[in-house]
Structure formats: structure tokens, C-alpha cells
């Protein structure tokens, strides 16, 4: 009887206690530890990037990028590959803007003449979420932003370089704050001019006619 | 006879604001359209884009300081102006009815309304500076040193600050260049320039025709005194030239910028 009780207790403890390996592996995630199959599966642990709340919540592919179906698994998702362009046919003969048309139109490129390579690095271009990528949020500020913006921190690096057009549907989905602000300002702009342009034009006309008739009265 | 309308301090504030506004418009458009030929030409006036940026930041800070100085000046010299009344810039319910009556007069439906000292469009002009500077100055101050700002606010706020700065700039320039300049310079009763902001005086004739309610209060004992110290003719001519230089400069910028907006969108 006592033997059975002890055996049951041991079994219960063995089943409920965490596996011993959890305390040994490199572990910082609530989900899984650092696992060797990550590189092939694309399932990267939280240790590889900044905590979620520190990351910019906006997609980093840039507007107008040609993408496969959204149902792709994370393993095939190009946001998480060591070579983000692996397997793209005739890749050698393509230019960045052939696929990333919208991404090429950004203030860094247009105002400062910065090329894609200056931030995204040489071939193979790692996906921004890959743990070796210079654009990984863990090190983007130090490896990319600070090259020009001396002293840039992780918060500064959440500036959205490939910002969608503020009034676009894309912005409404990906950068809601910008969309709201821009629509609000546009409404204000439209309201002010719709009110005051006719107001001023009418006034001008009225004073012109009034003075012509009465000679001196507004 | 002339009636005192603005004090010397108010007129100096207006002149400084006008100067800063033009400087900010020129440098701002030179940066926005840096890739275009005329953007580059404007930038060349300041020794290239670095010079433009430095001037734009300095001008912006001066403008914010000017507005703050004005607020302090009002609080110190005329705190009673904060209470809505006939001599206050505070909006009143009668401004709404004044607006409709004034529009009715424009359409020939009724007589010219008997306005008070500050009419609704003047109050709009005045308060527009406050929300304008709040929006454009607030976003601008974030952008003076974006790296430092990002230590206190999330970096993506800078995207929003840029958008706000851009949109408010177009609103402000559009309003000043097209509406304010027209009202102050092109109306037949004011052409070539409303001199009230130059010598601080308004002719009694204009008060009688446009601002009957103010006139009624002036005749009452204790009303504002007559404006005796009008500016010398040479000073007035100089002010007229300066005013028209600003107006023409503004229209030129508006013409160019509107062309760009029609070509490439806002």
C-alpha cells in the first residue's frame, strides 16, 4: 500500500513538475526555450528580438510590396528568413524597386538619396526579423539608424521609414494613428477653405459692387 | 478723426509674426520641395539645405517664443480680455449671428450688420494662430532634435509629427496667403492695405460704417480716446511697401506650391 502511494506520488510529481531541461537551456520565453530547429522552422524565440511592446507594431515590408498569400506559414514568411529573397526566380536580374515599388518612395531615399543597401545591407539580405539582421529591432538603432543619426536609441528606430501614404487604405490598416491624424487634418483643411474661400470671394465682390454704386460705403 | 485700435506692442508682435511666418514659409517650402529646381534655388539663398534647416528651426523657435511672449503680455497687461466681452477676443454667441448677417449682407439679403470692435473673422484669425502654433510648433519642437525627442516619446510619433507639421503648414499658408491677404489688402474699402496694423488707428468713418456697436460704445463716456499720433507719411509708405513685399512673396510661394500640389498631390 505504502509502496503504491509512494509510486503514485513520484509519478504525479514527475508529470506535473517542469522538465529538468527547462532550467538548463537558454530560456527567457514563456513559450519555448531556445531550440536548435528554429533556423529551419522560422519559429524564433522571443529572446531574438526585443520584447513585443518595444517593437514598432507596423509591418516593415513597406507599402506596395508584392507579397504571396497571407496564409503563408511563419516558416515561409519572408519576414523571418536569413536570406529573405531565397528562391525568388531570376533574383540576380531584379532590382529592389521591381518588387518593393512603394518602399523605394520614402523620405530617406527621396530627400537624402539613401539607397536600399545602405540600410538593408549586402546580399544575402536578411529579413528584418531574422536574428542576424542588422534591421532586427534588437540592434537596428545601433547598426543602421546611428550611422547617420548619432545617439539613436531603440525608440528612435521605431520611426517608420517605409511609411504608407497617410490617407491610404494601407495606412488605415497598418498605421492607424497616422491615418486618423491625417484624415483629421485634411477635414480641418477642407472645412476651413470650404468656408472661407467662398466667404472671401463673396465679400470681395460685394464691396466692389457696393462701392461702385454708392461711392464709398462698404 | 481716427480711433485707437491696436497698441504699439500688438503691432510689433504682428510685424514680427509676419516676418517669421514668411521666413518659415520660404525655408519650409525649400525643404519640402528640395528636389525641384525652385526648391533648390530657394535653398541656395540660405547656403544649401543645411542652412535652410538651421534657419527653419531657429525661426520656428522664435515664433513659439513670440506666441508665449504674447500670452504673458496679455496676462500681465489686460487679463480682463480673457473674459468674453465687447473688447475681448474671446468668442461670443453673437459672433455666430454676426457671421450669418454678414454673409446675408454679402448676398444682398440684409443690411450690413452692426459689428463690435473685433469681428468674427478677426477672432478666427487671432485664435487660428494659437492652434496653428500649438500644432505646427509642437510637432516642430519634436523634430528639432528627433534623436533626443525619441528618448521621451516613441519614435513613430515623429511620423505623426511630420504629417501634422506638413498639413498644418499648408493650412496656415493657404489661409494667410489666400484669405488673410485678400481681406487685409484687396477689399475695396481697404485696398491697398488696411493700415490699422501699421499705425494702430482706424478712421472713424470705417467704424461708423462697419462697427456700429463699437461706435455706440465710443460715444459713451469713458470710451477709447482718439488716435492722434498717426504715422508720418514716409513711414506709412514704407509700411505699405513692406506689406506688399510680404503679400507678393506669399502669392509667389502660393502659386508655386499650388502648382506642386496639383502636380504631385499634397
Amino acid at each position: 500500500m505504502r509502496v503504491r502511494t509512494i509510486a503514485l506520488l513520484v509519478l504525479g510529481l514527475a508529470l506535473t513538475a517542469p522538465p529538468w531541461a527547462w532550467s538548463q537551456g537558454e530560456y527567457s520565453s514563456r513559450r519555448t526555450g531556445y531550440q536548435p530547429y528554429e533556423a529551419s522552422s522560422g519559429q524564433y524565440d522571443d529572446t531574438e528580438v526585443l520584447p513585443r511592446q518595444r517593437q514598432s507594431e507596423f509591418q516593415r515590408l513597406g507599402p506596395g510590396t508584392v507579397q504571396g498569400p497571407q496564409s503563408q506559414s511563419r516558416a515561409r514568411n519572408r519576414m523571418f528568413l536569413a536570406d529573405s529573397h531565397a528562391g525568388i526566380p531570376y533574383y540576380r536580374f531584379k532590382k529592389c524597386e521591381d518588387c518593393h515599388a512603394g518602399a523605394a518612395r520614402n523620405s530617406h531615399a527621396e530627400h537624402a538619396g539613401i539607397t536600399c543597401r545602405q540600410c538593408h545591407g549586402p546580399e544575402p539580405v536578411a529579413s528584418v526579423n531574422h536574428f542576424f539582421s542588422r534591421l532586427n529591432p534588437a540592434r537596428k538603432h545601433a547598426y543602421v539608424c546611428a550611422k547617420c543619426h548619432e545617439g539613436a536609441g531603440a525608440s528612435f528606430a521605431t520611426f517608420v521609414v517605409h511609411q504608407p501614404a497617410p490617407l491610404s487604405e494601407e495606412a488605415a490598416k497598418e498605421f492607424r494613428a497616422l491615418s486618423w491624424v491625417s484624415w483629421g487634418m485634411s477635414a480641418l483643411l477642407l472645412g476651413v477653405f470650404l468656408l472661407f474661400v467662398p466667404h472671401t470671394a463673396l465679400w470681395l465682390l460685394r464691396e466692389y459692387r457696393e462701392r461702385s454704386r454708392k461711392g464709398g460705403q462698404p | 478723426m481716427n480711433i485707437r485700435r491696436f497698441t504699439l506692442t500688438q503691432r510689433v508682435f504682428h510685424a514680427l509674426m509676419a516676418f517669421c511666418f514668411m521666413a518659415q514659409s520660404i525655408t519650409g517650402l525649400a525643404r519640402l520641395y528640395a528636389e525641384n529646381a525652385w526648391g533648390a534655388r530657394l535653398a541656395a539663398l540660405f547656403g544649401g539645405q543645411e542652412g535652410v534647416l538651421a534657419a527653419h528651426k531657429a525661426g520656428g523657435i522664435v515664433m513659439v517664443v513670440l506666441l508665449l511672449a504674447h500670452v504673458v503680455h496679455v496676462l500681465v497687461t489686460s487679463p480682463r480680455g480673457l473674459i468674453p466681452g465687447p473688447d475681448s477676443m474671446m468668442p461670443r454667441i453673437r459672433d455666430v449671428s454676426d457671421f450669418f448677417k454678414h454673409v446675408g449682407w454679402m448676398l444682398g439679403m440684409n443690411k450690413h450688420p452692426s459689428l463690435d470692435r473685433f469681428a468674427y473673422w478677426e477672432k478666427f484669425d487671432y485664435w487660428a494662430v494659437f492652434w496653428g502654433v500649438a500644432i505646427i510648433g509642437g510637432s516642430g519642437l519634436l523634430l528639432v532634435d528627433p534623436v533626443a525627442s525619441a528618448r521621451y516619446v516613441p519614435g513613430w510619433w515623429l511620423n505623426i509629427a511630420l504629417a501634422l507639421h506638413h498639413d498644418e503648414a499648408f493650412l496656415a499658408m493657404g489661409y494667410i496667403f489666400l484669405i488673410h491677404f485678400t481681406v487685409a489688402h484687396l477689399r475695396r474699402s481697404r485696398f491697398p492695405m488696411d493700415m490699422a496694423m501699421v499705425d494702430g488707428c482706424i478712421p472713424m468713418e470705417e467704424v461708423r460704417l462697419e462697427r456700429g456697436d463699437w461706435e455706440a460704445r465710443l460715444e459713451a463716456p469713458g470710451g477709447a480716446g482718439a488716435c492722434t499720433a498717426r504715422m508720418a507719411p514716409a513711414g506709412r509708405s514704407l509700411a505699405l511697401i513692406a506689406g506688399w513685399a510680404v503679400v507678393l512673396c506669399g502669392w509667389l510661394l502660393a502659386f508655386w506650391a499650388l502648382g506642386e500640389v496639383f502636380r504631385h498631390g499634397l
Side-chain angles (χ1 to χ4, degrees):
Chain A
M1 187 65 195
R2 193 190 287 170
V3 177
R4 272 179 68 183
T5 316
I6 292 170
L8 271 173
L9 255 170
V10 168
L11 190 68
L13 272 173
L15 285 175
T16 51
W20 61 272
W22 283 20
S23 60
Q24 308 264 310
E26 183 186 337
Y27 172 69
S28 68
S29 147
R30 59 201 174 280
R31 205 157 27 88
T32 52
Y34 187 83
Q35 292 176 0
Y37 58 75
E38 283 181 334
S40 58
S41 67
Q43 290 283 349
Y44 295 111
D45 192 76
D46 288 352
T47 47
E48 297 309 326
V49 291
L50 277 177
R52 287 282 173 256
Q53 64 268 27
R54 293 289 302 282
Q55 280 187 43
S56 171
E57 49 199 276
F58 313 115
Q59 210 184 21
R60 293 179 200 83
L61 273 183
T65 299
V66 180
Q67 257 185 296
Q70 292 294 310
S71 58
Q72 273 181 331
S73 75
R74 198 171 162 186
R76 298 275 310 284
N77 187 327
R78 296 206 171 272
M79 304 282 282
F80 296 87
L81 296 181
D83 178 4
S84 56
H85 301 114
I88 291 178
Y90 307 112
Y91 178 65
R92 283 176 57 200
F93 308 107
K94 287 181 192 288
K95 279 192 267 175
C96 303
E97 55 266 38
D98 290 349
C99 300
H100 303 277
R105 289 189 300 272
N106 66 77
S107 59
H108 279 67
E110 287 176 348
H111 280 289
I114 305 225
T115 61
C116 309
R117 292 267 180 268
Q118 281 174 278
C119 298
H120 290 271
E123 294 295 340
V125 180
S127 310
V128 290
N129 285 345
H130 189 268
F131 60 99
F132 283 161
S133 171
R134 58 172 74 194
L135 282 165
N136 185 309
R139 63 184 73 83
K140 179 183 180 181
H141 56 284
Y143 279 57
V144 182
C145 306
K147 284 205 283 185
C148 301
H149 302 278
E150 199 182 335
S155 159
F156 181 79
T158 62
F159 177 80
V160 185
V161 172
H162 299 295
Q163 175 194 292
L167 299 179
S168 64
E169 215 174 308
E170 219 165 356
K173 262 187 264 164
E174 292 169 13
F175 201 160
R176 205 172 297 169
L178 178 74
S179 178
W180 273 101
V181 162
S182 292
W183 276 103
M185 285 303 293
S186 303
L188 185 68
L189 209 115
L190 209 67
V192 166
F193 288 114
L194 279 183
L195 183 68
F196 278 100
V197 167
H199 179 270
T200 310
L202 269 177
W203 197 358
L204 214 60
L205 213 67
R206 172 68 186 190
E207 281 208 6
Y208 183 78
R209 290 183 55 203
E210 191 81 359
R211 290 230 154 185
S212 306
R213 203 145 31 105
K214 290 186 185 167
Q217 284 191 6
Chain B
M1 187 183 158
N2 293 298
I3 303 297
R4 160 85 49 211
R5 184 151 169 78
F6 297 114
T7 67
L8 180 65
T9 321
Q10 288 164 344
R11 284 176 279 144
V12 169
F13 267 127
H14 180 266
L16 288 175
M17 268 309 213
F19 177 76
C20 281
F21 190 89
M22 288 317 296
Q24 291 305 86
S25 304
I26 292 170
T27 49
L29 286 173
R31 275 193 71 67
L32 184 62
Y33 297 122
E35 295 79 37
N36 299 22
W38 67 274
R41 230 172 281 146
L42 279 181
L45 294 175
F46 295 84
Q49 283 298 331
E50 284 85 21
V52 167
L53 188 57
H56 194 70
K57 286 176 178 175
I61 290 168
V62 170
M63 237 171 141
V64 171
V65 169
L66 269 177
L67 186 78
L68 293 179
H70 170 72
V71 171
V72 172
H73 177 249
V74 167
L75 289 178
V76 170
T77 59
S78 46
R80 281 178 61 201
L82 296 176
I83 305 162
D87 283 318
S88 163
M89 288 307 273
M90 285 292 175
R92 292 201 291 171
I93 295 165
R94 72 163 279 178
D95 293 325
V96 180
S97 59
D98 279 352
F99 169 79
F100 285 110
K101 282 183 207 157
H102 197 222
V103 171
W105 165 75
M106 290 175 199
L107 296 170
M109 298 190 315
N110 51 272
K111 280 174 68 181
H112 193 282
S114 168
L115 301 169
D116 213 315
R117 183 168 176 191
F118 298 114
Y120 66 88
W121 71 88
E122 287 154 345
K123 289 183 184 179
F124 184 86
D125 286 5
Y126 179 75
W127 288 109
V129 178
F130 281 80
W131 47 262
V133 171
I135 293 175
I136 213 164
S139 58
L141 286 178
L142 274 184
L143 295 166
V144 167
D145 187 349
V147 172
S149 312
R151 288 195 199 113
Y152 305 101
V153 300
W156 56 267
W157 279 31
L158 299 173
N159 289 78
I160 292 172
L162 274 170
L164 275 174
H165 202 77
H166 169 273
D167 291 355
E168 178 59 39
F170 271 94
L171 176 55
M173 285 191 292
Y175 188 83
I176 295 288
F177 296 163
L178 304 179
I179 315 269
H180 181 66
F181 284 0
T182 306
V183 170
H185 291 265
L186 287 191
R187 275 190 297 147
R188 196 155 180 185
S189 59
R190 298 295 190 276
F191 186 85
M193 183 158 149
D194 193 337
M195 297 306 271
M197 245 326 161
V198 174
D199 54 20
C201 302
I202 180 171
M204 196 60 204
E205 182 77 349
E206 279 176 20
V207 177
R208 192 169 301 131
L209 292 171
E210 273 186 1
R211 294 161 207 267
D213 287 14
W214 189 27
E215 188 204 10
R217 285 191 300 118
L218 283 175
E219 282 161 357
C227 191
T228 46
R230 289 202 84 169
M231 207 178 249
R236 285 169 69 88
S237 318
L238 208 67
L240 191 66
I241 291 167
W244 269 95
V246 167
V247 169
L248 290 177
C249 184
W251 283 344
L252 203 62
L253 286 179
F255 182 70
W256 271 332
L258 277 178
E260 290 300 325
V261 169
F262 281 126
R263 233 169 292 151
H264 306 293
L266 256 178

